[in-house]
Amino acid sequence: MITHLLSMEDLDAEQIGHILDTAEGFRDIALRPVKKVPTLRGRTVCNLFYEDSTRTRTSFELAAKRLSADTLNFSAKGSSVSKGESLKDTAQTLEAMGVDAIVIRHEQSGAAQTLTRFVQARVLNAGDGWHQHPTQALLDLFTVREHVGRLAGLNVAVVGDVLHSRVARSVVQGFATMGANVTVCGPPTLVPASAPSWGCEVTYDLDGLLARTDVLYLLRVQRERMTEQFFPSSREYARIWGVGRDRLARLPDEAVVLHPGPMNRGVEVTAEVADAPNALITAQVTNGIAVRMSCLYLMLGGEQAAPAEPVTQATTAEEVAAR
Ligand code: NCD
C-alpha cells in the first residue's frame, strides 16, 4: 500500500502496474447509469489548491465522489491563506476537521513533501512547482497502455517546454521505469542541463526524432513561469517546435499523440493535430478519473474493503441505515 503519493521517483514498476491494473477495474464505473461505488464511504478527501487548475481538481473531486468519499474543496483564493495563514496552520485546521486525504497543488516544489510533516492524513501531490505531478504521469501511462497495449520498449518523445514542466519530469520517470525509451526534445533554452539524469536521452532535432517515435508527448509552453525570453516569438516557436499536419505525417502510422492540457493551440500543437484520431488528449482526461480513483482507493485502505459494487437507490431510512 502507498502511504503518500509525492513523486514518480517513489514508485517502482510493480507499484505502477498495480495502480494501473486497479484503475482498469474502476474505468467501467463511468459507463454505469449510477457512477458510484461505496468503497470509501465515510472517508473525507480534501482538495487543497493553491494554484489554478481545471482538469486535475475536477478529476480528483469526481474520483473521490465516485468512491462515495466526502469531498472538501479548498482553494487559496477566498480562504484564510489570503490573510497570510501558513501551509502548516491550514493543513492542521483541515486535519482537525478529520480529513483522511489531502490532494495538494502548490506553486512551490516540495510543498507536498512538506505537508506530510504536518498531518497524519495521506498526501497526494497534484503538482508542486516545477517538480512533480505523479497522477498526470500515471494517467498518461494508463492511456498509452490502453491504446498501444504495452509500455516496455516504446519510443517516447517528450517535446517542448521541458524546463518549467513538472509533467515532463514525472512522465519521463514513469515511462522509463516501465521500460520505455524516452527522449526529451525542445529549444536548448527550455531543456534543463539535468535532463539526462532523469533516465532519458536529449536531442534538439525534432524532425530527426519523429520517424522513430511511438508516443509523442507535447508539453505546454508555460508562459506564466517564464521570467525571461526563452524563444523569439510564439510564431517562431510554432514553426520550429510546434506539431502540425506535416510533422504528424512523419510519425509512424501507429503512433499516438498526448498533451496534458491546457493546450496552446497554434503554438505547441495545431488544432488539426489536437483533434486528430491518434491524439489521445480526451482519453487522457477520461482516464484521469479512474487512475485517481485507483490511487485514492489504494492509499485509503480500500484494498481491505469489499470489492466495488454499484450503489443502488435506498428508499427507506432503514435501508439507508443498513448500508
Ligand atoms: C499540467 C500542470 O498543471 O502541471 N496540467 C495538468 O495538470 N493537466 C500541465 C500544464 O499546466 O501545462
Side-chain angles (χ1 to χ4, degrees):
M1 200 159 91
I2 311 157
T3 310
H4 302 295
L5 182 57
L6 304 177
S7 167
M8 289 305 286
E9 261 174 323
D10 302 337
L11 300 175
D12 61 24
E14 196 183 325
Q15 287 170 309
I16 293 174
H18 188 42
I19 294 170
L20 305 190
D21 292 344
T22 307
E24 255 174 44
F26 286 124
R27 185 181 39 195
D28 298 341
I29 290 172
L31 307 173
R32 297 178 185 169
V34 178
K35 299 175 179 50
K36 225 173 164 103
V37 289
T39 320
L40 293 186
R41 198 163 46 193
R43 303 300 185 95
T44 306
V45 177
C46 176
N47 280 327
L48 177 57
F49 276 59
Y50 287 81
E51 246 189 25
D52 296 342
S53 168
T54 306
R55 285 165 229 0
T56 308
R57 194 183 58 69
T58 48
S59 176
F60 264 114
E61 186 177 351
L62 264 185
K65 288 196 158 128
R66 287 186 181 171
L67 292 167
S68 303
D70 294 323
T71 55
L72 203 63
N73 278 315
F74 179 99
S75 69
K77 277 183 209 127
S79 73
S80 288
V81 169
S82 57
K83 299 180 188 165
E85 187 166 62
S86 69
L87 175 62
K88 181 175 181 181
D89 289 335
T90 303
Q92 288 179 341
T93 301
L94 294 171
E95 185 147 86
M97 293 181 190
V99 302
D100 299 291
I102 300 178
V103 177
I104 180 170
R105 171 166 285 197
H106 201 282
E107 63 278 2
Q108 280 180 15
S109 299
Q113 169 83 53
T114 304
L115 183 60
T116 63
R117 301 211 312 265
F118 305 144
V119 294
Q120 296 297 313
R122 307 286 166 157
V123 174
L124 293 95
N125 182 5
D128 61 334
W130 302 5
H131 177 228
Q132 279 280 327
H133 189 355
T135 57
Q136 178 69 47
L138 290 165
L139 73 89
D140 297 329
L141 292 171
F142 183 90
T143 304
V144 171
R145 194 177 80 162
E146 176 183 55
H147 282 78
V148 182
R150 69 193 166 98
L151 295 169
L154 291 179
N155 291 320
V156 179
V158 179
V159 177
D161 179 0
V162 181
L163 178 66
H164 299 105
S165 178
R166 53 194 173 211
V167 172
R169 286 164 179 79
S170 309
V171 292
V172 167
Q173 282 163 356
F175 277 106
T177 302
M178 298 313 281
N181 313 307
V182 190
T183 306
V184 304
C185 179
T189 49
L190 289 174
V191 177
S194 60
S197 69
W198 307 345
C200 59
E201 303 282 320
V202 174
T203 179
Y204 306 112
D205 177 12
L206 176 58
D207 291 318
L209 184 62
L210 293 173
R212 53 186 170 87
T213 293
D214 303 307
V215 178
L216 178 62
Y217 197 105
L218 300 175
L219 298 169
R220 182 172 68 89
V221 173
Q222 308 216 359
R223 284 177 220 272
E224 77 281 12
R225 297 190 196 280
M226 292 187 189
T227 50
E228 51 192 283
Q229 189 91 23
F230 286 90
F231 49 88
S233 66
S234 294
R235 189 184 295 184
E236 189 71 356
Y237 185 95
R239 191 175 66 76
I240 303 177
W241 303 104
V243 175
R245 190 196 325 184
D246 292 351
R247 291 200 166 111
L248 185 70
R250 280 188 232 159
L251 290 170
D253 288 345
E254 304 297 306
V256 291
V257 180
L258 283 85
H259 189 302
M263 285 181 275
N264 295 308
R265 286 182 187 239
V267 184
E268 68 267 3
V269 62
T270 63
E272 211 173 345
V273 172
D275 302 328
N278 56 340
L280 304 182
I281 299 162
T282 316
Q284 286 172 273
V285 176
T286 305
N287 289 335
I289 301 171
V291 168
R292 291 177 173 121
M293 286 172 82
S294 165
C295 295
L296 288 169
Y297 168 79
L298 294 172
M299 291 174 70
L300 291 176
E303 253 176 324
Q304 281 99 50
E309 56 184 63
V311 172
T312 49
Q313 292 295 316
T315 47
T316 64
E318 291 72 31
E319 273 181 51
V320 174
R323 288 178 183 200

